[in-house]
């Protein structure tokens, strides 16, 4: 009798339900049932309603603040280990606290390292993430980390726009490497050279910008701004205004993670942005802002899960 080796099941926390359903559609499997029970004092518990004994368990959950989402993931990891799962793989489309990746001033914590430690202590055997804010965060883990890139779905979307005067822009100097990589991916797909400009900004404190200007010529161009996170949308909206004032035909933003906190939706709606494209790493209701379009990371995640199960190259599956 043949026995299937290391079968797998996919589960999701509260913040991962929508993308997990899409992942399961690509995998042709059912999303597992996990119950998150909440108590009146704010405490909660995770219980698997399906057996996971001897199976590889994929837990899909973004860990963006509030901390409830991270705690849900930790409880699911612990419950799966105690239920005799063979392997527990945390699938984290958006890795929260990633912007706290270094000690950039005295007496501060490194949140990304702390969260990595907690996930490992909870019992995760492997982690799948999408577009970390800083790639060195992979080194914060002592378990395998599979780093997927939003450009796998965002670059084809930009290509589909068929913009004759396309130019890529980085919203700041720190994001220039990400924008340059996006340019190379587009050039490989289209066979055409894609130029790039950079926005210089002075930020006196978090979420505040005092000055911004464009380093490069955008006159008569269709600008696509590349970044990993849109939070308050202040940078994007300011950049779009500066680009339009510099003579740009159109300005779009293509972002991996749509945090969209506070009044970000209102800012985007009233801004010079023609369109904001984000992935579904964080659930977003497009009725909140007509300028926002969501593309899914479900297929790259599904390909990665299959590659892990079949011991194949993950990079080759997501080229």
């Amino acid at each position: 009798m043949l026995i299937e080796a290391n079968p797998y099941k996919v589960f999701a926390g509260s913040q991962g339900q929508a993308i997990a359903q899409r992942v399961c559609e690509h995998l042709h499997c059912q999303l597992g049932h996990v119950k998150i029970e909440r108590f009146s004092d704010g405490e909660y518990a995770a219980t698997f309603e399906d057996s996971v004994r001897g199976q590889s368990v994929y837990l899909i959950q973004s860990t963006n603040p509030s901390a409830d989402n991270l705690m849900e993931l930790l409880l699911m990891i612990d419950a799966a280990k105690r239920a005799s799962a063979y392997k527990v793989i945390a699938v984290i489309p958006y890795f929260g606290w990633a912007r706290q990746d270094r000690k950039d001033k005295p007496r501060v914590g490194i949140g990304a390292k702390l969260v990595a430690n907690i996930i490992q202590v909870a019992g995760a055997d492997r982690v799948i993430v999408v577009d970390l804010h800083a790639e060195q965060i992979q080194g914060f883990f002592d378990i395998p980390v599979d780093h997927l890139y939003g450009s796998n779905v965002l670059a084809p979307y930009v290509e589909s726009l068929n913009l004759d005067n396309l130019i890529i822009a980085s919203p700041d100097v720190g994001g220039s490497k990400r924008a340059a990589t996006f340019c190379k991916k587009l050039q490989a797909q289209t066979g055409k050279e894609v130029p790039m400009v950079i926005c210089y900004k002075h930020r006196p404190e978090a979420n505040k910008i005092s000055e911004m200007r464009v380093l490069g010529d955008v006159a008569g161009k269709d600008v696509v701004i590349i970044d990993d996170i849109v939070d308050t949308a202040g940078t994007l909206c300011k950049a779009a205004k500066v680009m339009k004032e510099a003579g740009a035909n159109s300005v779009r933003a293509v972002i991996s993670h749509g945090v969209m906190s506070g009044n970000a939706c209102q800012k985007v709606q009233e801004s010079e942005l023609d369109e904001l494209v984000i992935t579904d790493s964080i659930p977003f209701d497009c009725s909140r802002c007509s300028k926002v379009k969501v593309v899914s990371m479900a297929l790259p995640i599904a390909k990665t899960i299959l590659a892990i199960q079949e011991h194949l190259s993950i990079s080759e599956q997501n080229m």
Side-chain angles (χ1 to χ4, degrees), residues 73-89:
L73 176 62
L74 299 175
L75 288 169
M76 288 192 295
I77 292 171
D78 186 67
K81 297 295 284 190
R82 295 179 188 277
S84 301
Y86 171 66
K87 295 284 185 183
V88 178
I89 299 93

Side-chain angles (χ1 to χ4, degrees), residues 132-135 151 167-185 187 194-201 213 215-216 224-229 235 243 254-255:
L132 289 169
H133 183 63
E135 294 206 14
S151 59
I167 189 168
I168 299 298
S170 171
D172 53 37
V173 175
S176 59
K177 181 180 177 182
R178 181 179 295 105
T181 301
F182 200 94
C183 283
K184 290 179 182 178
K185 194 171 188 68
Q187 287 171 183
V194 180
M196 188 182 89
V197 297
I198 298 173
C199 289
Y200 169 79
K201 66 182 179 185
R213 59 178 181 266
L215 305 179
V224 175
I225 301 171
I226 306 298
D227 208 353
D228 64 324
I229 298 172
T235 297
M243 300 282 189
V254 174
I255 313 291

Side-chain angles (χ1 to χ4, degrees), residues 1-6:
M1 182 177 69
L2 294 175
I3 300 176
E4 184 182 359
N6 301 337

Side-chain angles (χ1 to χ4, degrees), residues 100-295:
Q100 301 177 47
D101 62 330
R102 64 194 183 280
K103 187 176 179 181
D104 56 353
K105 55 186 176 183
R107 299 176 296 281
V108 296
I110 303 177
K113 172 60 175 171
L114 176 62
V115 171
N117 287 344
I118 294 171
I119 290 171
Q120 290 175 115
V121 170
D125 297 291
R126 191 180 191 119
V127 173
I128 300 171
V129 293
V130 176
D131 267 345
L132 289 169
H133 183 63
E135 294 206 14
Q136 67 264 24
I137 293 173
Q138 295 176 75
F140 294 174
F141 290 89
D142 296 317
I143 56 177
V145 176
D146 302 304
H147 191 192
L148 309 184
Y149 296 94
S151 59
N152 288 327
V153 296
L154 295 170
Y157 176 79
V158 172
E159 183 184 359
S160 72
L161 297 174
N162 295 317
L163 300 171
D164 293 330
N165 299 304
L166 172 64
I167 189 168
I168 299 298
S170 171
D172 53 37
V173 175
S176 59
K177 181 180 177 182
R178 181 179 295 105
T181 301
F182 200 94
C183 283
K184 290 179 182 178
K185 194 171 188 68
L186 277 177
Q187 287 171 183
Q189 291 176 184
T190 63
K192 300 177 182 178
E193 184 177 351
V194 180
M196 188 182 89
V197 297
I198 298 173
C199 289
Y200 169 79
K201 66 182 179 185
H202 174 63
R203 194 193 290 273
E205 58 183 281
N207 300 129
K208 289 188 178 180
I209 300 170
S210 62
E211 178 189 5
M212 177 178 283
R213 59 178 181 266
V214 184
L215 305 179
D217 183 16
V218 296
K221 302 291 186 180
D222 295 301
V223 181
V224 175
I225 301 171
I226 306 298
D227 208 353
D228 64 324
I229 298 172
V230 50
D231 187 355
T232 63
T235 297
L236 280 184
C237 295
K238 181 108 177 175
K241 182 180 180 183
V242 170
M243 300 282 189
K244 285 287 182 75
E245 289 174 349
N249 284 336
S250 65
V251 181
R252 290 174 173 81
V254 174
I255 313 291
S256 298
H257 307 298
V259 176
M260 301 296 281
S261 63
N263 64 342
C265 287
Q266 181 182 350
K267 286 182 185 176
V268 170
Q269 192 66 38
E270 296 173 354
S271 73
E272 297 287 341
L273 279 170
D274 294 279
E275 186 178 39
L276 170 60
V277 185
I278 59 177
T279 75
D280 55 355
S281 63
I282 298 173
F284 184 82
D285 181 2
C286 289
S287 65
R288 293 170 57 196
C289 180
S290 62
K291 288 187 178 182
V292 175
K293 178 181 177 61
V294 178
V295 295

